[in-house]
C-alpha cells in the first residue's frame, strides 16, 4: 500500500482490513482516528476534542509485513481503536509509528489493544509502538508474540 487511508468521521474511525496471501508493504499513512474538532477550530475546541472512537486496523499476511520509513498507523478517539498484525513471516517496522490513543474523560473505559503475532519481529530506527491514554480512561494492552527472535533497536 502506497498512499494514505483516512476515513475518519464524527462517529468514529471505521475499519480497515488488509488480508494478503503474500507480503504486505505499507508506505504511507493509515489514519482511522475519529475526527478531532480541535484541528478544524482550535479556538472553540480544546486539543484532542474527539466525538467518536478510533477505528480498528487489521493486517493479515501469509508472509512478511513491512512498515517503511515514515509510515504511520493511527487510531485515536474517545477510545483508541484496536491495531492487530497477524502474519506467518517477519514483521519489520523501520522508523514507523503505530498508535492507539484514548482521550476520554470517563473513568474505567478501556482503549484499543495493540497486537503483533509473527515468526520474527523487528522494530528499528526509532519505530514507536504506542498505546496510551490522555484522560481518565485506560489504555489498552500491548501484546507481542513471536515464535522466533524479537529485535527492538531504537
Amino acid at each position: 500500500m502506497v498512499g494514505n487511508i483516512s476515513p475518519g468521521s464524527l462517529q468514529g474511525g471505521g475499519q480497515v482490513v488488509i488480508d494478503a496471501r503474500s507480503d504486505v508493504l505499507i508506505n504511507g499513512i493509515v489514519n482511522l482516528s475519529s475526527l478531532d474538532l480541535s484541528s478544524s477550530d482550535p479556538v472553540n475546541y480544546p486539543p484532542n476534542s474527539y466525538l467518536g472512537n478510533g477505528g480498528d486496523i487489521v493486517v493479515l499476511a501469509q508472509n512478511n509485513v513491512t512498515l517503511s520509513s515514515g509510515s504511520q498507523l493511527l487510531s485515536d478517539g474517545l477510545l483508541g481503536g484496536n491495531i492487530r498484525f497477524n502474519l506467518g513471516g517477519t514483521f519489520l517496522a523501520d522508523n514507523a509509528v503505530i498508535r492507539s490513543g484514548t482521550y476520554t474523560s470517563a473513568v474505567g473505559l478501556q482503549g484499543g489493544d495493540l497486537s503483533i503475532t509473527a515468526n520474527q519481529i523487528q522494530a528499528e530506527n526509532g519505530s514507536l509502538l504506542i498505546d496510551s491514554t490522555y484522560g481518565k480512561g485506560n489504555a489498552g494492552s500491548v501484546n507481542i508474540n513471536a515464535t522466533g527472535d524479537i529485535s527492538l533497536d531504537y
Side-chain angles (χ1 to χ4, degrees):
M1 183 208 82
V2 176
N4 299 327
I5 299 174
S6 186
S9 70
L10 290 175
Q11 291 78 31
Q15 181 180 44
V16 167
V17 177
I18 299 171
D19 189 353
R21 300 293 168 242
S22 186
D23 295 337
V24 173
L25 169 65
I26 296 176
N27 184 21
I29 298 171
V30 178
N31 186 354
L32 268 66
S33 298
S34 173
L35 185 62
D36 178 1
L37 294 177
S38 65
S39 65
S40 61
D41 187 359
V43 173
N44 294 313
Y45 294 100
N48 305 313
S49 295
Y50 296 102
L51 293 180
N53 297 330
D56 292 340
I57 301 170
V58 179
V59 180
L60 308 169
Q62 284 187 344
N63 295 328
N64 305 314
V65 171
T66 301
L67 279 61
S68 63
S69 183
S71 293
Q72 299 179 35
L73 280 75
L74 310 171
S75 183
D76 298 332
L78 290 174
L79 298 177
N82 297 303
I83 302 176
R84 180 171 59 101
F85 297 88
N86 194 341
L87 54 139
T90 298
F91 174 87
L92 171 62
D94 178 15
N95 190 33
V97 175
I98 302 167
R99 183 183 72 219
S100 175
T102 295
Y103 293 84
T104 186
S105 59
V107 176
L109 294 180
Q110 178 88 19
D113 295 330
L114 302 182
S115 173
I116 303 171
T117 301
N119 285 343
Q120 294 184 343
I121 297 172
Q122 296 173 263
E124 54 191 41
N125 296 323
S127 291
L128 299 172
L129 181 63
I130 304 165
D131 197 343
S132 56
T133 184
Y134 301 94
K136 295 180 181 177
N138 298 320
S141 299
V142 175
N143 301 296
I144 298 176
N145 303 297
T147 56
D149 295 334
I150 297 175
S151 173
L152 306 174
D153 181 19
Y154 186 76

